Amino acid sequence: MALKELTAEEAASLISHGDTIGFSGFTPAGAAKEIPTAIAEKAKKEHEAGRPFKIGVVTGASTGQSLDGELAEADAVSFRTPYQSNKSLRQSINAGKTHFFDMHLSQLPQNVRYGFLGKFSYAIVEACDVSEDGHIVLSTSVGASPTFCQYADKILVELNEFHPKALRGFHDIYEPLDPPHRRELPVYSCSDRVGTETIKVAPSKIAGVVRTNRPDEVGGFKEVCPITSKIGENVSNFLASELRKGAIPKDFLPIQSGVGNIANAILGALGQNPDIPAFEMYSEVIQDSVISLMEEERIRFGSATSLTLSPEVLARVYDNLDFFRSKVLLRPQELSNHPEIVRRLGIISINTAIETDIFGNVNSTHVMGNNLMNGIGGSGDFTRNAYLSVFTCPSVAKGSKISTIVPLVSHMDHSEHSVQVVITEQGVADLRGKDPVERARLIVENCAHPEYRDLLRGYFDSVKDGHTPQTLDCAFAMHQKFLKTGDMHGVEWALPGSQA
Ligand code: 0RQ
């Protein structure tokens, strides 16, 4: 049976108001592009004609402008999960026009299978190849696409000829059985292959194939700056000292590293540290610095769910696919982020915080308590289950008007029970085995910016009672000061014996 070829507009015409769609994409890598843009156009026409048109958008994680951006700008997203990083969509969410609920990325596929998110009418997935007998070869990410394809009523494939068909073999497609039949996930080392190269579906389920030739919409990374470089150096020196102490096995452990400029700088620093042996990655995302370190043989293997590479670096990979074939596996996010595997492999997790409080609670998702930034992503999957969990961030934000070290986080994603080490450009606070008072001292003295240290010392020094030196009256005074004046400096604690 030949698969039916459609234009993007024809594909979009199949989508109805109220549908929930599972789109491919984990970061802009491998995200559907052509059909979501056509759906956005359809939405605008429907709105002009006075008819409602909004869909539920479920993806692996963030996507590109053609998906989240176009749909949000067309006011076509009724609800969205599990992670986004698009400016227009963020505005729509923070304006209350799009319902967004956050979720640990490893849990999304099982929540779909369990029916927690309702019925999915279509899976819309980008592929580098699709066969008449229903084998779909994904492109630069796996994300939740295997689950979307199995669970949705119908599938639309974006066959993107920008990606070589020779990507076949880079994917390891596996879905666990659901409870009460679930068994252990058989990944015992980063490079264990446990599944298949393709997603296999009944050909009759494929409603159409739309041909495209478009690169992923991945932006480049900012150059490493003195702050991110110092954070990277602090992380790599800390891990090297743990290795010397024997707290990390001598062959080292797999690294999970967050996505973004700070994470890119940290990986670069780890790779350059001669005291750290060549290592493996078991992470969500393989980004630019990982590829360079593979070429330099500093990273031996990378398991992830996406190849989130700037265009130049992806070109390097495509020019040398045979070299990378033995070094990279792309798995469903259910496996790349699975707590069981993270705990088994002994992963060292390194993620970025928006703010950290003096006790080690971390906010990864909200600015000043109410505005969503991106979402928790995989940071919770890894942090809670890591061998060693590290959070990094610059000690100040917005030209030092904001201290990222605060008395109490304005939103909590990772509690003090999961966060073991906090690292800024100022230094390292190793919180293991420390009580709340010791934690507060370490974080303020080692991680806070010198401009804010006296202020923070004044906060906890004045509280004499209780296990945790916290004062509910003043816990958010720094945030409130910023919201009123645009600057956290100069808070005066309304506490007896306090110093500003
Ligand atoms: O704002 O964009 O206007 O300049 O937040 O901050 O310092 O550039 O760092 O790009 O790494 O993002 C936590 C958001 C950090 C990200 C977060 C402002 C700052 C800047 C970005 P501008 P930076 P990053 C999965 C890993 C959650 C998901 C996760 C994230 C912008 O890392 O989404 O961990 N993490 N996934 O100015 C106000 C503060 C601020 C602040 C920073 N306290 N208040 N604004 N900003 N701190 C695991 C994997 O395996 C991939």
Side-chain angles (χ1 to χ4, degrees), residues 26 83 105 222 256-263 283-285 337 350-355 363-368 373-379 382 391 394 397-398 402-404 414:
F26 194 103
Y83 178 89
L105 296 183
K222 287 186 212 154
Q256 175 266 331
S257 162
V259 69
N261 300 313
I262 297 174
S283 194
E284 267 181 17
V285 170
N337 290 29
I350 309 167
N351 290 291
T352 310
I354 286 181
E355 61 180 5
N363 168 12
S364 294
T365 58
H366 285 73
V367 173
M368 301 293 150
M373 178 69 90
N374 302 326
I376 193 167
S379 54
F382 290 101
F391 270 94
K398 304 293 174 206
I402 293 176
S403 169
T404 59
H414 311 285

mmCIF file of all heavy atoms in Angstrom, residues 26 83 105 222 256-263 283-285 337 350-355 363-368 373-379 382 391 394 397-398 402-404 414, ligand 1:
data_model
loop_
_atom_site.group_PDB
_atom_site.id
_atom_site.type_symbol
_atom_site.label_atom_id
_atom_site.label_comp_id
_atom_site.label_asym_id
_atom_site.label_seq_id
_atom_site.Cartn_x
_atom_site.Cartn_y
_atom_site.Cartn_z
ATOM 1 N N PHE A 26 11.951 17.521 20.685
ATOM 2 C CA PHE A 26 12.511 17.599 22.027
ATOM 3 C C PHE A 26 13.596 18.643 21.907
ATOM 4 O O PHE A 26 14.658 18.382 21.337
ATOM 5 C CB PHE A 26 13.086 16.248 22.467
ATOM 6 C CG PHE A 26 13.364 16.214 23.937
ATOM 7 C CD1 PHE A 26 12.513 15.553 24.810
ATOM 8 C CD2 PHE A 26 14.474 16.874 24.452
ATOM 9 C CE1 PHE A 26 12.760 15.556 26.178
ATOM 10 C CE2 PHE A 26 14.723 16.879 25.811
ATOM 11 C CZ PHE A 26 13.875 16.211 26.679
ATOM 12 N N TYR A 83 6.935 21.090 28.539
ATOM 13 C CA TYR A 83 8.031 22.054 28.720
ATOM 14 C C TYR A 83 8.046 22.918 27.478
ATOM 15 O O TYR A 83 7.801 22.420 26.379
ATOM 16 C CB TYR A 83 9.363 21.299 28.843
ATOM 17 C CG TYR A 83 10.616 22.151 28.988
ATOM 18 C CD1 TYR A 83 11.061 22.538 30.249
ATOM 19 C CD2 TYR A 83 11.363 22.545 27.885
ATOM 20 C CE1 TYR A 83 12.215 23.300 30.393
ATOM 21 C CE2 TYR A 83 12.525 23.305 28.021
ATOM 22 C CZ TYR A 83 12.942 23.677 29.273
ATOM 23 O OH TYR A 83 14.099 24.426 29.420
ATOM 24 N N LEU A 105 9.718 15.110 32.654
ATOM 25 C CA LEU A 105 9.678 14.636 31.261
ATOM 26 C C LEU A 105 9.634 13.116 31.151
ATOM 27 O O LEU A 105 9.040 12.574 30.224
ATOM 28 C CB LEU A 105 10.873 15.186 30.487
ATOM 29 C CG LEU A 105 10.898 16.706 30.346
ATOM 30 C CD1 LEU A 105 12.081 17.147 29.503
ATOM 31 C CD2 LEU A 105 9.612 17.238 29.740
ATOM 32 N N LYS A 222 25.636 31.163 23.078
ATOM 33 C CA LYS A 222 26.425 32.367 23.353
ATOM 34 C C LYS A 222 27.861 31.930 23.646
ATOM 35 O O LYS A 222 28.079 30.846 24.184
ATOM 36 C CB LYS A 222 25.874 33.095 24.587
ATOM 37 C CG LYS A 222 24.568 33.822 24.355
ATOM 38 C CD LYS A 222 24.201 34.621 25.620
ATOM 39 C CE LYS A 222 22.695 34.702 25.791
ATOM 40 N NZ LYS A 222 22.233 34.881 27.151
ATOM 41 N N GLN A 256 24.992 13.884 33.420
ATOM 42 C CA GLN A 256 23.817 14.523 32.830
ATOM 43 C C GLN A 256 24.013 16.008 32.990
ATOM 44 O O GLN A 256 24.342 16.486 34.072
ATOM 45 C CB GLN A 256 22.524 14.124 33.538
ATOM 46 C CG GLN A 256 21.289 14.876 33.029
ATOM 47 C CD GLN A 256 20.949 16.122 33.848
ATOM 48 O OE1 GLN A 256 21.242 16.178 35.032
ATOM 49 N NE2 GLN A 256 20.374 17.124 33.219
ATOM 50 N N SER A 257 23.840 16.717 31.922
ATOM 51 C CA SER A 257 24.023 18.151 32.019
ATOM 52 C C SER A 257 22.844 18.847 31.381
ATOM 53 O O SER A 257 22.363 18.429 30.324
ATOM 54 C CB SER A 257 25.327 18.511 31.310
ATOM 55 O OG SER A 257 25.332 19.866 31.029
ATOM 56 N N GLY A 258 22.357 19.891 32.005
ATOM 57 C CA GLY A 258 21.202 20.641 31.507
ATOM 58 C C GLY A 258 21.506 21.255 30.156
ATOM 59 O O GLY A 258 22.588 21.081 29.591
ATOM 60 N N VAL A 259 20.529 21.986 29.660
ATOM 61 C CA VAL A 259 20.669 22.555 28.328
ATOM 62 C C VAL A 259 20.841 24.059 28.478
ATOM 63 O O VAL A 259 20.383 24.637 29.450
ATOM 64 C CB VAL A 259 19.432 22.154 27.487
ATOM 65 C CG1 VAL A 259 18.173 22.827 27.976
ATOM 66 C CG2 VAL A 259 19.654 22.384 26.021
ATOM 67 N N GLY A 260 21.558 24.690 27.565
ATOM 68 C CA GLY A 260 21.715 26.144 27.640
ATOM 69 C C GLY A 260 23.182 26.539 27.696
ATOM 70 O O GLY A 260 24.085 25.698 27.630
ATOM 71 N N ASN A 261 23.377 27.843 27.841
ATOM 72 C CA ASN A 261 24.743 28.376 27.756
ATOM 73 C C ASN A 261 25.606 27.948 28.935
ATOM 74 O O ASN A 261 26.783 27.632 28.778
ATOM 75 C CB ASN A 261 24.679 29.897 27.705
ATOM 76 C CG ASN A 261 23.882 30.351 26.508
ATOM 77 O OD1 ASN A 261 24.098 29.863 25.401
ATOM 78 N ND2 ASN A 261 22.934 31.245 26.725
ATOM 79 N N ILE A 262 25.009 27.927 30.130
ATOM 80 C CA ILE A 262 25.799 27.565 31.311
ATOM 81 C C ILE A 262 26.212 26.102 31.190
ATOM 82 O O ILE A 262 27.379 25.740 31.384
ATOM 83 C CB ILE A 262 24.985 27.816 32.597
ATOM 84 C CG1 ILE A 262 24.670 29.311 32.721
ATOM 85 C CG2 ILE A 262 25.731 27.320 33.835
ATOM 86 C CD1 ILE A 262 23.747 29.672 33.865
ATOM 87 N N ALA A 263 25.246 25.261 30.811
ATOM 88 C CA ALA A 263 25.528 23.833 30.690
ATOM 89 C C ALA A 263 26.603 23.582 29.631
ATOM 90 O O ALA A 263 27.496 22.741 29.804
ATOM 91 C CB ALA A 263 24.253 23.091 30.332
ATOM 92 N N SER A 283 22.051 11.532 29.344
ATOM 93 C CA SER A 283 21.427 12.841 29.516
ATOM 94 C C SER A 283 20.197 12.938 28.636
ATOM 95 O O SER A 283 19.799 11.965 28.001
ATOM 96 C CB SER A 283 22.475 13.906 29.157
ATOM 97 O OG SER A 283 22.081 15.165 29.588
ATOM 98 N N GLU A 284 19.603 14.131 28.622
ATOM 99 C CA GLU A 284 18.458 14.362 27.730
ATOM 100 C C GLU A 284 18.921 14.813 26.373
ATOM 101 O O GLU A 284 18.382 14.431 25.360
ATOM 102 C CB GLU A 284 17.659 15.551 28.275
ATOM 103 C CG GLU A 284 16.552 15.247 29.162
ATOM 104 C CD GLU A 284 15.875 16.541 29.568
ATOM 105 O OE1 GLU A 284 16.050 17.601 28.948
ATOM 106 O OE2 GLU A 284 15.142 16.466 30.533
ATOM 107 N N VAL A 285 19.895 15.717 26.430
ATOM 108 C CA VAL A 285 20.246 16.467 25.232
ATOM 109 C C VAL A 285 21.740 16.339 24.964
ATOM 110 O O VAL A 285 22.544 16.450 25.887
ATOM 111 C CB VAL A 285 19.880 17.956 25.464
ATOM 112 C CG1 VAL A 285 20.432 18.829 24.366
ATOM 113 C CG2 VAL A 285 18.369 18.116 25.544
ATOM 114 N N ASN A 337 15.552 9.662 30.685
ATOM 115 C CA ASN A 337 15.379 10.370 31.961
ATOM 116 C C ASN A 337 14.855 9.460 33.062
ATOM 117 O O ASN A 337 14.354 9.962 34.070
ATOM 118 C CB ASN A 337 14.334 11.480 31.785
ATOM 119 C CG ASN A 337 14.811 12.619 30.941
ATOM 120 O OD1 ASN A 337 15.643 12.428 30.075
ATOM 121 N ND2 ASN A 337 14.287 13.793 31.175
ATOM 122 N N ILE A 350 23.844 17.747 36.613
ATOM 123 C CA ILE A 350 24.246 19.157 36.719
ATOM 124 C C ILE A 350 23.184 19.989 36.000
ATOM 125 O O ILE A 350 23.043 19.903 34.779
ATOM 126 C CB ILE A 350 25.632 19.402 36.067
ATOM 127 C CG1 ILE A 350 26.665 18.398 36.585
ATOM 128 C CG2 ILE A 350 26.094 20.837 36.326
ATOM 129 C CD1 ILE A 350 27.957 18.367 35.784
ATOM 130 N N ASN A 351 22.401 20.737 36.764
ATOM 131 C CA ASN A 351 21.326 21.530 36.172
ATOM 132 C C ASN A 351 21.411 22.980 36.628
ATOM 133 O O ASN A 351 22.138 23.299 37.569
ATOM 134 C CB ASN A 351 19.968 20.908 36.527
ATOM 135 C CG ASN A 351 19.782 19.591 35.807
ATOM 136 O OD1 ASN A 351 19.629 19.548 34.586
ATOM 137 N ND2 ASN A 351 19.833 18.488 36.543
ATOM 138 N N THR A 352 20.649 23.820 35.960
ATOM 139 C CA THR A 352 20.719 25.255 36.233
ATOM 140 C C THR A 352 19.490 25.702 37.016
ATOM 141 O O THR A 352 18.375 25.283 36.711
ATOM 142 C CB THR A 352 20.788 26.040 34.902
ATOM 143 O OG1 THR A 352 21.815 25.466 34.105
ATOM 144 C CG2 THR A 352 21.101 27.499 35.136
ATOM 145 N N ALA A 353 19.718 26.557 38.003
ATOM 146 C CA ALA A 353 18.624 27.096 38.812
ATOM 147 C C ALA A 353 18.310 28.518 38.389
ATOM 148 O O ALA A 353 19.196 29.240 37.928
ATOM 149 C CB ALA A 353 19.032 27.096 40.286
ATOM 150 N N ILE A 354 17.060 28.920 38.562
ATOM 151 C CA ILE A 354 16.739 30.351 38.472
ATOM 152 C C ILE A 354 17.127 31.001 39.800
ATOM 153 O O ILE A 354 17.764 32.038 39.825
ATOM 154 C CB ILE A 354 15.238 30.548 38.163
ATOM 155 C CG1 ILE A 354 14.984 30.195 36.695
ATOM 156 C CG2 ILE A 354 14.787 31.974 38.478
ATOM 157 C CD1 ILE A 354 13.552 30.360 36.246
ATOM 158 N N GLU A 355 16.746 30.372 40.889
ATOM 159 C CA GLU A 355 17.179 30.850 42.207
ATOM 160 C C GLU A 355 17.280 29.662 43.169
ATOM 161 O O GLU A 355 16.642 28.623 42.968
ATOM 162 C CB GLU A 355 16.233 31.932 42.765
ATOM 163 C CG GLU A 355 14.816 31.466 42.965
ATOM 164 C CD GLU A 355 13.885 32.551 43.511
ATOM 165 O OE1 GLU A 355 14.297 33.718 43.664
ATOM 166 O OE2 GLU A 355 12.719 32.225 43.800
ATOM 167 N N ASN A 363 14.524 26.717 42.709
ATOM 168 C CA ASN A 363 13.471 27.117 41.776
ATOM 169 C C ASN A 363 14.067 27.087 40.377
ATOM 170 O O ASN A 363 15.020 27.808 40.090
ATOM 171 C CB ASN A 363 13.022 28.541 42.162
ATOM 172 C CG ASN A 363 12.152 29.207 41.116
ATOM 173 O OD1 ASN A 363 11.679 28.564 40.172
ATOM 174 N ND2 ASN A 363 11.929 30.507 41.284
ATOM 175 N N SER A 364 13.514 26.238 39.523
ATOM 176 C CA SER A 364 14.007 26.140 38.134
ATOM 177 C C SER A 364 13.043 26.754 37.143
ATOM 178 O O SER A 364 13.327 26.774 35.947
ATOM 179 C CB SER A 364 14.129 24.670 37.705
ATOM 180 O OG SER A 364 15.087 23.976 38.412
ATOM 181 N N THR A 365 11.877 27.187 37.588
ATOM 182 C CA THR A 365 10.820 27.420 36.601
ATOM 183 C C THR A 365 10.123 28.777 36.627
ATOM 184 O O THR A 365 9.539 29.157 35.617
ATOM 185 C CB THR A 365 9.706 26.356 36.759
ATOM 186 O OG1 THR A 365 9.192 26.426 38.092
ATOM 187 C CG2 THR A 365 10.203 24.966 36.469
ATOM 188 N N HIS A 366 10.112 29.471 37.753
ATOM 189 C CA HIS A 366 9.275 30.680 37.826
ATOM 190 C C HIS A 366 10.080 31.902 38.263
ATOM 191 O O HIS A 366 10.934 31.807 39.143
ATOM 192 C CB HIS A 366 8.120 30.476 38.815
ATOM 193 C CG HIS A 366 7.035 29.598 38.265
ATOM 194 N ND1 HIS A 366 7.189 28.241 38.116
ATOM 195 C CD2 HIS A 366 5.793 29.888 37.815
ATOM 196 C CE1 HIS A 366 6.081 27.734 37.602
ATOM 197 N NE2 HIS A 366 5.218 28.706 37.412
ATOM 198 N N VAL A 367 9.757 33.041 37.676
ATOM 199 C CA VAL A 367 10.413 34.291 38.058
ATOM 200 C C VAL A 367 9.499 35.043 39.022
ATOM 201 O O VAL A 367 8.318 35.259 38.731
ATOM 202 C CB VAL A 367 10.716 35.146 36.803
ATOM 203 C CG1 VAL A 367 11.236 36.524 37.194
ATOM 204 C CG2 VAL A 367 11.733 34.432 35.920
ATOM 205 N N MET A 368 10.060 35.402 40.167
ATOM 206 C CA MET A 368 9.335 36.146 41.201
ATOM 207 C C MET A 368 8.007 35.482 41.556
ATOM 208 O O MET A 368 6.993 36.136 41.760
ATOM 209 C CB MET A 368 9.089 37.611 40.777
ATOM 210 C CG MET A 368 10.356 38.381 40.497
ATOM 211 S SD MET A 368 11.357 38.632 41.972
ATOM 212 C CE MET A 368 13.015 38.673 41.262
ATOM 213 N N MET A 373 8.957 30.520 33.390
ATOM 214 C CA MET A 373 10.054 30.686 32.422
ATOM 215 C C MET A 373 9.925 29.582 31.366
ATOM 216 O O MET A 373 9.386 29.798 30.298
ATOM 217 C CB MET A 373 11.389 30.627 33.155
ATOM 218 C CG MET A 373 12.589 30.726 32.274
ATOM 219 S SD MET A 373 12.791 32.337 31.537
ATOM 220 C CE MET A 373 13.789 33.130 32.746
ATOM 221 N N ASN A 374 10.343 28.363 31.683
ATOM 222 C CA ASN A 374 10.273 27.268 30.697
ATOM 223 C C ASN A 374 9.511 26.054 31.227
ATOM 224 O O ASN A 374 8.619 25.527 30.581
ATOM 225 C CB ASN A 374 11.681 26.800 30.314
ATOM 226 C CG ASN A 374 12.527 27.921 29.736
ATOM 227 O OD1 ASN A 374 12.016 28.803 29.062
ATOM 228 N ND2 ASN A 374 13.818 27.890 29.999
ATOM 229 N N GLY A 375 9.921 25.582 32.390
ATOM 230 C CA GLY A 375 9.335 24.358 32.947
ATOM 231 C C GLY A 375 10.418 23.550 33.633
ATOM 232 O O GLY A 375 11.609 23.877 33.544
ATOM 233 N N ILE A 376 10.022 22.494 34.314
ATOM 234 C CA ILE A 376 10.995 21.714 35.097
ATOM 235 C C ILE A 376 11.862 20.832 34.203
ATOM 236 O O ILE A 376 12.977 20.465 34.567
ATOM 237 C CB ILE A 376 10.280 20.889 36.191
ATOM 238 C CG1 ILE A 376 11.281 20.333 37.200
ATOM 239 C CG2 ILE A 376 9.436 19.765 35.588
ATOM 240 C CD1 ILE A 376 10.657 19.786 38.467
ATOM 241 N N GLY A 377 11.365 20.523 33.017
ATOM 242 C CA GLY A 377 12.148 19.703 32.092
ATOM 243 C C GLY A 377 12.538 18.385 32.734
ATOM 244 O O GLY A 377 11.762 17.761 33.462
ATOM 245 N N GLY A 378 13.779 18.001 32.475
ATOM 246 C CA GLY A 378 14.256 16.738 33.046
ATOM 247 C C GLY A 378 14.993 16.930 34.355
ATOM 248 O O GLY A 378 15.494 15.965 34.941
ATOM 249 N N SER A 379 15.066 18.182 34.822
ATOM 250 C CA SER A 379 15.931 18.434 35.982
ATOM 251 C C SER A 379 15.486 17.636 37.206
ATOM 252 O O SER A 379 16.324 17.171 37.986
ATOM 253 C CB SER A 379 16.003 19.925 36.295
ATOM 254 O OG SER A 379 14.722 20.481 36.463
ATOM 255 N N PHE A 382 16.411 13.777 36.995
ATOM 256 C CA PHE A 382 17.817 13.479 37.271
ATOM 257 C C PHE A 382 18.198 13.826 38.705
ATOM 258 O O PHE A 382 18.832 13.032 39.401
ATOM 259 C CB PHE A 382 18.710 14.231 36.279
ATOM 260 C CG PHE A 382 18.609 13.693 34.868
ATOM 261 C CD1 PHE A 382 17.838 14.326 33.915
ATOM 262 C CD2 PHE A 382 19.263 12.532 34.507
ATOM 263 C CE1 PHE A 382 17.720 13.826 32.631
ATOM 264 C CE2 PHE A 382 19.158 12.011 33.224
ATOM 265 C CZ PHE A 382 18.385 12.663 32.279
ATOM 266 N N PHE A 391 23.467 21.848 41.388
ATOM 267 C CA PHE A 391 22.798 22.965 40.718
ATOM 268 C C PHE A 391 23.764 24.116 40.580
ATOM 269 O O PHE A 391 24.533 24.414 41.504
ATOM 270 C CB PHE A 391 21.548 23.425 41.493
ATOM 271 C CG PHE A 391 20.328 22.678 41.041
ATOM 272 C CD1 PHE A 391 19.917 21.550 41.716
ATOM 273 C CD2 PHE A 391 19.642 23.080 39.910
ATOM 274 C CE1 PHE A 391 18.814 20.832 41.279
ATOM 275 C CE2 PHE A 391 18.543 22.366 39.461
ATOM 276 C CZ PHE A 391 18.119 21.235 40.144
ATOM 277 N N PRO A 394 24.530 31.713 37.944
ATOM 278 C CA PRO A 394 25.294 32.909 38.310
ATOM 279 C C PRO A 394 24.724 33.432 39.637
ATOM 280 O O PRO A 394 23.529 33.281 39.892
ATOM 281 C CB PRO A 394 24.992 33.896 37.169
ATOM 282 C CG PRO A 394 24.365 33.084 36.075
ATOM 283 C CD PRO A 394 23.724 31.901 36.722
ATOM 284 N N ALA A 397 21.446 38.069 38.805
ATOM 285 C CA ALA A 397 20.823 38.173 37.478
ATOM 286 C C ALA A 397 20.432 39.617 37.249
ATOM 287 O O ALA A 397 20.395 40.428 38.187
ATOM 288 C CB ALA A 397 19.595 37.270 37.410
ATOM 289 N N LYS A 398 20.138 39.913 35.994
ATOM 290 C CA LYS A 398 19.667 41.255 35.584
ATOM 291 C C LYS A 398 20.574 42.359 36.133
ATOM 292 O O LYS A 398 20.151 43.228 36.920
ATOM 293 C CB LYS A 398 18.208 41.484 36.039
ATOM 294 C CG LYS A 398 17.230 40.421 35.543
ATOM 295 C CD LYS A 398 17.047 40.451 34.040
ATOM 296 C CE LYS A 398 16.193 39.315 33.518
ATOM 297 N NZ LYS A 398 16.466 38.932 32.129
ATOM 298 N N ILE A 402 19.174 41.417 40.910
ATOM 299 C CA ILE A 402 18.564 40.240 41.535
ATOM 300 C C ILE A 402 19.672 39.349 42.090
ATOM 301 O O ILE A 402 20.641 39.048 41.382
ATOM 302 C CB ILE A 402 17.741 39.441 40.487
ATOM 303 C CG1 ILE A 402 16.531 40.251 40.025
ATOM 304 C CG2 ILE A 402 17.315 38.079 41.020
ATOM 305 C CD1 ILE A 402 15.707 39.603 38.926
ATOM 306 N N SER A 403 19.523 38.954 43.356
ATOM 307 C CA SER A 403 20.404 37.919 43.897
ATOM 308 C C SER A 403 19.720 36.578 43.633
ATOM 309 O O SER A 403 18.532 36.411 43.954
ATOM 310 C CB SER A 403 20.579 38.112 45.407
ATOM 311 O OG SER A 403 21.227 36.964 45.952
ATOM 312 N N THR A 404 20.441 35.643 43.053
ATOM 313 C CA THR A 404 19.826 34.321 42.811
ATOM 314 C C THR A 404 19.860 33.468 44.079
ATOM 315 O O THR A 404 19.261 32.411 44.129
ATOM 316 C CB THR A 404 20.542 33.568 41.676
ATOM 317 O OG1 THR A 404 21.912 33.417 42.047
ATOM 318 C CG2 THR A 404 20.428 34.315 40.358
ATOM 319 N N HIS A 414 12.820 21.753 43.315
ATOM 320 C CA HIS A 414 13.695 20.712 43.858
ATOM 321 C C HIS A 414 13.926 21.051 45.323
ATOM 322 O O HIS A 414 14.384 22.147 45.640
ATOM 323 C CB HIS A 414 15.037 20.685 43.115
ATOM 324 C CG HIS A 414 14.840 20.684 41.627
ATOM 325 N ND1 HIS A 414 14.421 19.575 40.946
ATOM 326 C CD2 HIS A 414 14.953 21.669 40.710
ATOM 327 C CE1 HIS A 414 14.298 19.872 39.661
ATOM 328 N NE2 HIS A 414 14.607 21.139 39.493
HETATM 329 O O1 0RQ B 1 17.215 36.195 31.028
HETATM 330 O O2 0RQ B 1 17.127 35.591 28.670
HETATM 331 O O3 0RQ B 1 16.417 37.853 29.447
HETATM 332 O O4 0RQ B 1 18.837 37.191 29.484
HETATM 333 O O5 0RQ B 1 16.702 33.852 32.942
HETATM 334 O O6 0RQ B 1 19.089 32.566 32.324
HETATM 335 O O7 0RQ B 1 21.417 32.635 33.137
HETATM 336 O O8 0RQ B 1 20.979 32.677 30.610
HETATM 337 O O9 0RQ B 1 20.607 30.586 32.008
HETATM 338 O O10 0RQ B 1 19.763 29.898 29.685
HETATM 339 O O11 0RQ B 1 20.735 28.268 31.355
HETATM 340 O O12 0RQ B 1 18.474 29.284 31.728
HETATM 341 C C1 0RQ B 1 16.853 27.833 34.732
HETATM 342 C C2 0RQ B 1 15.793 29.102 32.877
HETATM 343 C C3 0RQ B 1 18.293 28.970 33.086
HETATM 344 C C4 0RQ B 1 16.993 26.936 32.383
HETATM 345 C C5 0RQ B 1 16.963 28.215 33.283
HETATM 346 C C6 0RQ B 1 17.013 35.054 33.640
HETATM 347 C C7 0RQ B 1 18.318 35.493 33.023
HETATM 348 C C8 0RQ B 1 18.056 35.193 31.561
HETATM 349 C C9 0RQ B 1 18.069 32.652 31.376
HETATM 350 P P1 0RQ B 1 17.420 36.772 29.547
HETATM 351 P P2 0RQ B 1 20.595 32.184 31.980
HETATM 352 P P3 0RQ B 1 19.944 29.462 31.096
HETATM 353 C C10 0RQ B 1 17.118 19.215 31.768
HETATM 354 C C11 0RQ B 1 17.475 20.555 32.199
HETATM 355 C C12 0RQ B 1 14.741 24.168 33.828
HETATM 356 C C13 0RQ B 1 14.747 22.894 33.031
HETATM 357 C C14 0RQ B 1 16.000 22.111 33.212
HETATM 358 C C15 0RQ B 1 15.749 26.061 32.575
HETATM 359 C C16 0RQ B 1 17.244 33.916 31.625
HETATM 360 O O13 0RQ B 1 18.131 26.199 32.665
HETATM 361 O O14 0RQ B 1 14.716 26.279 31.968
HETATM 362 O O15 0RQ B 1 16.691 22.201 34.204
HETATM 363 N N1 0RQ B 1 15.856 25.038 33.489
HETATM 364 N N2 0RQ B 1 16.300 21.355 32.204
HETATM 365 O O16 0RQ B 1 18.564 36.851 33.268
HETATM 366 C C17 0RQ B 1 14.882 36.636 37.144
HETATM 367 C C18 0RQ B 1 16.216 35.220 38.433
HETATM 368 C C19 0RQ B 1 16.840 34.789 37.231
HETATM 369 C C20 0RQ B 1 16.399 35.342 36.025
HETATM 370 C C21 0RQ B 1 17.992 33.890 35.629
HETATM 371 N N3 0RQ B 1 16.567 34.729 39.621
HETATM 372 N N4 0RQ B 1 15.239 36.129 38.341
HETATM 373 N N5 0RQ B 1 15.426 36.255 35.970
HETATM 374 N N6 0RQ B 1 17.135 34.764 35.062
HETATM 375 N N7 0RQ B 1 17.827 33.899 36.966
HETATM 376 C C22 0RQ B 1 18.191 18.236 31.795
HETATM 377 C C23 0RQ B 1 18.900 17.834 30.534
HETATM 378 O O17 0RQ B 1 19.403 16.796 30.446
HETATM 379 C C24 0RQ B 1 18.988 18.779 29.374
#
